[in-house]
Amino acid sequence: MLLSFAIFKLSNMNFSELAEYYNKLEQISSRLAMIDILTDMFKKASKEEIRPIIYLTQGVLSPPFEGLETGIAEKFAEEAIARATGYSREIVEDEFKKTGDLGLVAEKFVKEQKIKKIETKPFSIIDVFNTFRKIASISGEGSQKQKIDLLSGLIANANPLEARYIVRFALGELRLGVGDATILEALSKAVTGSRDFKEKLEQAYNICSDLGKVGEVFFNEGKEGIENFKIQLFSPIRPALAERLPSGKEIMEKMGGIASVESKYDGFRAQVHIDKEHKRVEIFSRNLERSTPMLPDIVEAVLKELDIKNAILDGEAIAYNESVDEFHPFQETITRKRKHGVEKVSEELPLYLFAFDILYLNDEPMIEKPYKERREKLEKIVSGKGRIRVTDRIIAKSPEELEKYFDEVIEKGLEGIVAKDLNAPYVAGARKFTWIKLKRSYKGELSDTLDLVIVGYYLGKGSRAEFQFGGLLCAVYNEERDMFETITKIGTGFTEEMMKDLKEKLEKIRVNKKPARVDSLIEPDFWVEPKYVVTVRADEITKSPLHTAGKGIDGSDTGYALRFPRIVSNGIRPDKGPNEATTTKEVIEMYKMQKKIEIKDNT
Ligand code: ATP
């Protein structure tokens, strides 16, 4: 018996039990305690319940790449609370202004309910989940009214604690701060009694990006089901990422003397799933959001230009002017699209897909095959004449060849190069030395920006008082610990528009104590659930006793910090979630690289 050691419940778990667990998760302040609570919670789940429980805990109704949302705005949630509890909209609204959390408002008013509660039977997790799915599926005329009816029905049936989480969930602001790695570890413990199976679960997750599905297969088919997990068209694969090294010499050494050295385009990472037989295409971004509607030109082009049955391509979408061989950075394209509309900009700045990998072809998974073989297949199916191209590259056999190509690429206005190990498989969801990037560096600045997670913010003082926003406390992601470690406060680089937007977004994810997965010695004015990522440029990485990034890793008691940090680009990065932020490991590498560059500059 595969799962003889796991005890699965057959009866239904009540939503009230889940709410109790969520409340516990909010109270604790350590990640280990978080894992224990989740493990307990998963142990209570039946085979049918595990999938909805995982989604609910992630704050979603289906894997995030499906983008299924309840579509409930604050004012409709206020209406639903008012209707369910007998208070007026105005009173609900006033209370919301005081606390900034409609979940707490719902909890309070359900506790002090004006309407006499009719006797109801407790609802199960599956009932609540299905009602939310129903709410999400309603669209068109009159849909808001129906959504409010269903939500107020849930609140009217709920006890106060249930009401807190029902309303937060409806608004997409659960504020539990539970990460994917934490869920996987708890699943491993719940089923096998130890964390040892976590890596295998992670591998399955890396090729389907659906935690609910991984949990369900694990509960139903045990270890064997997970070990036999297969790639499926339209389930995105978590993208491979690149390491950094400071010079061609080090890159070529690491690659063993030969590498595919490719242009690094500053575009939009696009994983393109194509079922040509059924004329279906889906495109997923760097953090696996469904981005198909944003890229109609690529959808049309892959169907027209590729001679395949089906495939999954990995590449970079970028606006390109072929006649003058000019690339437009994606930031520019996206800003113009927002202003002038997708259609019009598509004509002016035609998007091309520069494909660099193939992960699936004609019903066959490709990720285990060596890169040279994958690239060969890719070149066979891409004619290179239309909108679908392959990335420009050379096969370099020496640091000189690599550096010469690097200079040519920079001359063209591109970002740098990515060197790839010709014999390596596609390493889904990981940053490994099978891909190494080298970017252009500017004197007196770090050569690369950092993508940091916002964990707290400050109130505005002086001239900032009017925005009630003074700056951010930001962190990097420590993958080994699955924790967010602070690296800097940022008060510079914000436009007025950005400040307004940040304040509005951060208020919605405010929490009243330091989240369990945040490691910080600094107390900001407000803590927030780690959710948003911003791009930051700095002059230098320094050692600092104030921050926890990398603290203790090299035996010393100091962490790493940024000198002169400032926000770049348009504020929050739409294509990265907290787990895609710059990692502690990367910061340490960047610190070492910077030392090497300093030495080089001085010689
Ligand atoms: P960056 O902000 O530097 O793009 P990142 O964290 O998004 O960093 P990295 O793994 O560091 O991602 O760098 C690889 C990224 O570079 C890919 O996500 C992809 O979007 C982009 N890219 C552009 N050209 C290539 C290429 N030829 N091969 C691989 N990635 C490429």
Side-chain angles (χ1 to χ4, degrees):
M1 264 299 281
L2 263 169
L3 296 172
S4 52
F5 36 78
I7 307 153
F8 290 113
K9 262 191 56 170
L10 293 173
S11 62
N12 283 345
M13 195 169 156
N14 286 334
F15 188 72
S16 61
E17 286 177 77
L18 195 67
E20 293 286 349
Y21 280 115
Y22 287 175
N23 188 35
K24 276 194 212 160
L25 284 173
E26 271 192 72
Q27 310 304 320
I28 45 105
S29 55
S30 94
R31 180 177 175 264
L32 287 179
M34 188 177 245
I35 293 174
D36 287 344
I37 295 169
L38 289 170
T39 305
D40 259 10
M41 184 174 101
F42 292 151
K43 275 188 185 162
K44 291 261 170 67
S46 69
K47 291 176 181 178
E48 288 72 40
E49 285 162 341
I50 189 66
R51 193 166 182 148
I53 288 181
I54 290 175
Y55 290 149
L56 286 170
T57 308
Q58 287 184 286
V60 296
L61 285 167
S62 65
F65 60 82
E66 285 182 5
L68 191 62
E69 283 177 4
T70 57
I72 289 179
E74 271 161 12
K75 58 179 195 294
F76 298 118
E78 284 174 3
E79 174 76 35
I81 296 169
R83 231 195 271 168
T85 59
Y87 286 85
S88 71
R89 260 292 297 278
E90 289 68 36
I91 291 181
V92 172
E93 216 177 310
D94 282 350
E95 188 64 24
F96 178 40
K97 278 193 191 127
K98 275 189 234 156
T99 61
D101 181 345
L102 271 175
L104 294 180
V105 175
E107 179 174 6
K108 177 178 158 76
F109 289 148
V110 166
K111 207 180 277 166
E112 299 159 10
Q113 195 130 332
K114 282 200 165 174
I115 299 172
K116 195 171 173 322
K117 229 184 167 91
I118 31 163
E119 270 314 304
T120 49
K121 80 171 178 30
F123 37 36
S124 71
I125 289 170
I126 294 187
D127 291 337
V128 175
F129 184 73
N130 286 344
T131 309
F132 274 125
R133 297 244 342 170
K134 194 162 171 201
I135 291 176
S137 71
I138 303 170
S139 62
E141 212 178 306
S143 64
Q144 282 305 346
K145 188 185 166 303
Q146 290 177 56
K147 284 177 193 264
I148 295 171
D149 285 349
L150 285 168
L151 182 61
S152 75
L154 279 178
I155 301 169
N157 261 293
N159 69 31
L161 201 58
E162 287 175 321
R164 182 202 296 174
Y165 295 109
I166 284 171
V167 169
R168 283 196 193 159
F169 187 87
L171 293 167
E173 294 157 15
L174 204 53
R175 310 184 196 208
L176 295 179
V178 179
D180 298 350
T182 311
I183 291 184
L184 289 171
E185 195 163 334
L187 275 174
S188 173
K189 283 183 86 176
V191 176
T192 70
S194 99
R195 66 181 297 283
D196 296 351
F197 204 65
K198 184 191 158 203
E199 276 71 40
K200 283 271 161 47
L201 290 170
E202 210 162 61
Q203 281 165 16
Y205 176 48
N206 283 340
I207 59 170
C208 75
S209 313
D210 183 345
L211 277 180
K213 183 170 169 185
V214 171
E216 190 170 84
V217 169
F218 197 29
F219 267 47
N220 282 285
E221 298 167 37
K223 290 183 174 177
E224 211 179 339
I226 295 297
E227 278 156 358
N228 291 329
F229 221 83
K230 292 271 178 309
I231 291 181
Q232 260 183 0
L233 214 48
F234 304 115
S235 266
I237 296 160
R238 308 220 318 133
L241 300 170
E243 282 281 359
R244 294 179 181 79
L245 280 175
S247 68
K249 184 165 171 285
E250 273 154 286
I251 295 176
M252 289 310 289
E253 262 169 29
K254 197 82 177 180
M255 290 282 165
I258 181 164
S260 167
V261 176
E262 309 188 356
S263 295
K264 186 175 193 302
Y265 304 87
D266 187 11
F268 178 88
R269 180 85 178 252
Q271 191 181 109
V272 190
H273 291 232
I274 312 144
D275 180 351
K276 194 160 170 177
E277 253 186 337
H278 303 97
K279 293 205 164 30
R280 181 174 170 207
V281 176
E282 295 290 359
I283 304 178
F284 301 100
S285 67
R286 164 91 161 66
N287 66 341
L288 306 180
E289 269 177 16
R290 191 178 157 263
S291 315
T292 322
M294 241 174 61
L295 304 163
D297 3 15
I298 306 284
V299 173
E300 202 187 303
V302 284
L303 288 173
K304 201 165 91 195
E305 294 174 22
L306 304 181
D307 185 18
I308 50 164
K309 180 178 169 213
N310 52 41
I312 302 176
L313 302 188
D314 195 1
E316 194 82 353
I318 187 163
Y320 175 53
N321 182 337
E322 193 169 9
S323 27
V324 288
D325 196 18
E326 182 184 52
F327 293 91
H328 298 265
F330 201 71
Q331 205 59 47
E332 180 190 319
T333 322
I334 197 93
T335 316
R336 295 192 46 185
K337 276 191 174 173
R338 267 194 218 119
K339 267 200 194 136
H340 309 292
V342 173
E343 298 288 315
K344 185 157 187 304
V345 177
S346 294
E347 275 168 39
E348 289 168 16
L349 291 175
L351 277 184
Y352 284 68
L353 177 74
F354 284 83
F356 45 73
D357 220 316
I358 185 158
L359 316 182
Y360 190 80
L361 178 63
N362 299 338
D363 300 322
E364 201 193 335
M366 301 290 291
I367 61 170
E368 300 294 341
K369 301 196 188 301
Y371 180 51
K372 57 174 180 262
E373 218 177 286
R374 302 199 305 275
R375 176 83 190 197
E376 220 170 81
K377 293 251 191 292
L378 179 67
E379 287 179 5
K380 263 200 191 122
I381 64 160
V382 175
S383 73
K385 295 199 182 74
R387 294 286 193 90
I388 313 298
R389 307 280 168 110
V390 288
T391 47
D392 187 61
R393 69 149 186 184
I394 58 159
I395 301 290
K397 294 200 176 113
S398 69
E400 293 73 32
E401 279 176 337
L402 183 152
E403 276 169 10
K404 182 165 167 278
Y405 183 73
F406 177 82
D407 291 341
E408 283 166 20
V409 161
I410 298 298
E411 186 80 8
K412 267 195 189 170
L414 295 176
E415 263 195 310
I417 56 103
V418 187
K420 297 181 182 175
D421 181 342
L422 287 160
N423 295 313
Y426 183 88
V427 193
R431 196 179 288 282
K432 289 275 153 66
F433 281 100
T434 50
W435 285 16
I436 308 174
K437 63 179 169 182
L438 183 64
K439 282 196 187 175
R440 171 178 37 172
S441 74
Y442 305 89
K443 237 187 153 46
E445 270 184 352
L446 279 177
S447 63
D448 211 347
T449 52
L450 291 95
D451 293 314
L452 304 180
V453 186
I454 304 172
V455 295
Y457 69 101
Y458 294 87
L459 278 174
K461 298 201 179 93
S463 63
R464 294 271 177 90
E466 110 179 67
F467 302 103
Q468 297 181 332
F469 176 84
L472 302 170
L473 177 62
C474 290
V476 286
Y477 179 49
N478 185 324
E479 288 172 297
E480 274 87 56
R481 299 176 64 211
D482 188 25
M483 294 279 288
F484 299 99
E485 301 173 337
T486 74
I487 186 163
T488 194
K489 287 191 209 173
I490 304 172
T492 322
F494 304 102
T495 60
E496 287 184 10
E497 204 183 322
M498 246 189 235
M499 287 196 271
K500 249 177 75 193
D501 181 57
L502 279 166
K503 155 119 192 326
E504 225 175 87
K505 291 213 163 78
L506 296 177
E507 238 173 21
K508 294 196 172 127
I509 53 164
R510 230 157 73 183
V511 286
N512 58 13
K513 60 200 272 290
K514 185 179 70 57
R517 286 165 67 231
V518 172
D519 190 1
S520 175
L521 303 168
I522 294 172
E523 180 96 11
D525 289 339
F526 299 110
W527 292 108
V528 294
E529 184 197 335
K531 176 170 178 174
Y532 294 118
V533 172
V534 284
T535 304
V536 174
R537 188 171 281 292
D539 283 5
E540 201 187 348
I541 297 175
T542 55
K543 292 279 205 144
S544 156
L546 290 177
H547 288 285
T548 53
K551 197 172 153 99
I553 284 189
D554 53 5
S556 78
D557 201 30
T558 50
Y560 292 83
L562 301 183
R563 201 163 77 90
F564 296 137
R566 59 242 177 227
I567 290 278
V568 292
S569 75
N570 291 352
I572 290 169
R573 243 192 107 143
D575 62 337
K576 280 196 179 178
N579 289 1
E580 280 97 29
T582 302
T583 60
T584 306
K585 205 173 119 218
E586 286 183 84
V587 166
I588 297 173
E589 270 165 21
M590 287 168 86
Y591 178 77
K592 287 186 195 150
M593 260 170 69
Q594 152 196 300
K595 290 249 163 228
K596 284 189 188 158
I597 291 168
E598 268 167 31
I599 294 166
K600 251 197 244 157
D601 282 353
N602 293 332
T603 48

